[in-house]
């Protein structure tokens, strides 16, 4: 099964609308010639509109960092899947460890968000991954399995191909400490197997991104692993040149 690599930028709480526009100006020419991969940028919600305009006509997609599972209502401060679609988003990140840890997002909430996104025509990027304590206690695969089961609880079999997973070991996020390609592949291979149990043959179509200090220096080796289908890139995605280099590594791996 050949899966098209996806390289997604997670800007977190960085960049204003003018900064996002300037990024697009510098970034788009650098990736214009890349074939065989998909690229997405997830700015803060306040920059979605401006960045969407700047990306219009390019192959680079717009993504959101979060969503509320409800279609509308009295939910102060929240944004619905339909609103993200209206803003031009094709993808939305859900269940990032920062949201799970800092804002109490549970597997059940992540599952509801993922399902609501699919219903609105967006592709969810569902994040999961173990903490350092869990890894050191030998619980990595058990934690991933539990998060996978809980976070995908609401996804129907026929929607599996639109789903994207991101394995993001918490100890590697923003720390400069990347999982080695072998350590990452062990988790990705395990997740692939569990997706097969959950979705049957359709599980092979689900892309599994790696996230956690991915950067130009380590992207090629990580992306060479059989079950790594792209990256969710934080720090190294804030600079157009370094993010373009990660995208180029993914495209070169396809060639
Ligand atoms: P990082 O963040 O690349 O800065 O480690 C990745 C993420 O949190 O998605």
């Amino acid at each position: 099964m050949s899966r098209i690599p996806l390289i997604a930028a997670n800007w977190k709480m960085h960049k204003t609308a003018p900064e996002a526009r300037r990024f697009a100006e510098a970034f788009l020419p650098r990736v214009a010639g890349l074939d065989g991969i998909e690229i997405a940028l997830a700015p803060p919600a306040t920059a979605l509109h401006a960045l969407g305009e700047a990306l219009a006509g390019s192959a680079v997609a717009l993504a959101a960092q979060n969503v509320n599972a409800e279609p509308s209502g009295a939910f102060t401060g929240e944004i619905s899947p339909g609103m993200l679609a209206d803003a031009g988003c094709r993808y939305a990140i859900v269940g990032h460890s920062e949201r799970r840890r800092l804002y109490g997002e549970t597997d059940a909430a992540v599952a509801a968000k993922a399902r609501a996104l699919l219903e609105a025509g967006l592709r969810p990027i569902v994040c999961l991954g173990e903490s350092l304590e869990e890894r050191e206690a030998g619980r990595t695969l058990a934690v991933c399995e539990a998060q996978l089961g809980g976070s995908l609880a609401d996804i129907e079999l026929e929607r599996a191909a639109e789903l994207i997973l991101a394995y993001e070991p918490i100890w590697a996020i923003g720390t400069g400490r990347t999982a080695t390609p072998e350590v990452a592949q062990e988790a990705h291979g395990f997740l692939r197997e569990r997706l097969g149990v959950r979705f049957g043959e359709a599980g092979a179509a689900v892309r599994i991104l790696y996230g956690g200090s991915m950067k130009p220096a380590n992207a090629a080796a990580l992306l060479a692993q059989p079950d790594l289908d792209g990256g969710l890139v934080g720090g190294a995605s804030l600079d157009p040149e370094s993010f373009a280099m990660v995208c180029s590594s993914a495209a070169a791996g396809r060639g």
Side-chain angles (χ1 to χ4, degrees):
M1 164 79 55
S2 131
R3 294 175 293 267
I4 298 172
L6 170 66
I7 306 292
N10 176 11
W11 285 353
K12 309 191 180 183
M13 201 165 71
H14 295 285
K15 295 196 193 293
T16 61
E19 286 166 350
R21 269 192 229 102
R22 279 200 294 280
F23 179 98
E25 264 169 45
F27 178 68
L28 289 177
R30 290 183 154 89
V31 296
L34 300 183
D35 283 329
I37 62 163
E38 288 176 14
I39 301 171
L41 302 176
T46 47
L48 280 173
H49 191 72
L51 186 60
E53 280 181 353
L55 298 178
S58 81
V60 177
L62 194 62
Q65 297 178 14
N66 184 31
V67 69
N68 188 291
E70 297 297 327
S72 64
F75 301 105
T76 301
E78 294 294 289
I79 299 175
S80 73
M83 291 169 183
L84 294 181
D86 176 56
C89 290
R90 184 164 167 69
Y91 303 92
I93 300 166
V94 290
H96 190 281
S97 60
E98 286 152 16
R99 295 213 57 85
R100 290 177 185 265
R101 203 160 32 93
L102 302 171
Y103 305 103
E105 211 162 288
T106 61
D107 284 338
V110 176
K113 290 178 180 201
R115 185 193 173 106
L117 285 166
L118 287 169
E119 277 167 10
L122 280 88
R123 299 183 167 211
I125 301 175
V126 177
C127 304
L128 49 80
E130 81 288 359
S131 67
L132 186 59
E133 299 71 48
E134 289 163 342
R135 173 159 286 269
E136 286 176 345
R139 296 183 48 229
T140 295
L141 301 184
V143 166
C144 289
E145 180 166 21
Q147 288 186 337
L148 184 82
S151 304
L152 303 187
D154 289 346
I155 309 296
E156 293 156 9
L157 192 61
E158 47 287 0
R159 309 306 295 271
E162 293 157 70
L163 188 68
I164 295 146
L165 271 194
Y167 169 66
E168 299 206 302
I170 295 170
W171 46 270
I173 294 178
T175 57
R177 192 176 155 188
T178 323
T180 62
E182 294 72 26
V183 164
Q185 170 56 32
E186 186 196 12
H188 282 238
F190 174 76
L191 290 168
R192 173 80 53 219
E193 183 209 312
R194 300 318 298 167
L195 285 169
V197 172
R198 172 75 172 76
F199 293 116
E201 275 178 22
V206 177
R207 287 178 283 183
I208 311 178
L209 315 184
Y210 168 80
S213 299
M214 185 183 265
K215 50 183 186 266
N218 59 30
L222 284 162
L223 294 166
Q225 299 300 312
D227 290 299
L228 257 94
D229 309 311
L232 184 55
V233 188
S237 76
L238 295 172
D239 172 64
E241 193 172 349
S242 76
F243 189 54
M245 284 165 77
V246 172
C247 296
S248 298
S249 296
R254 297 282 291 171

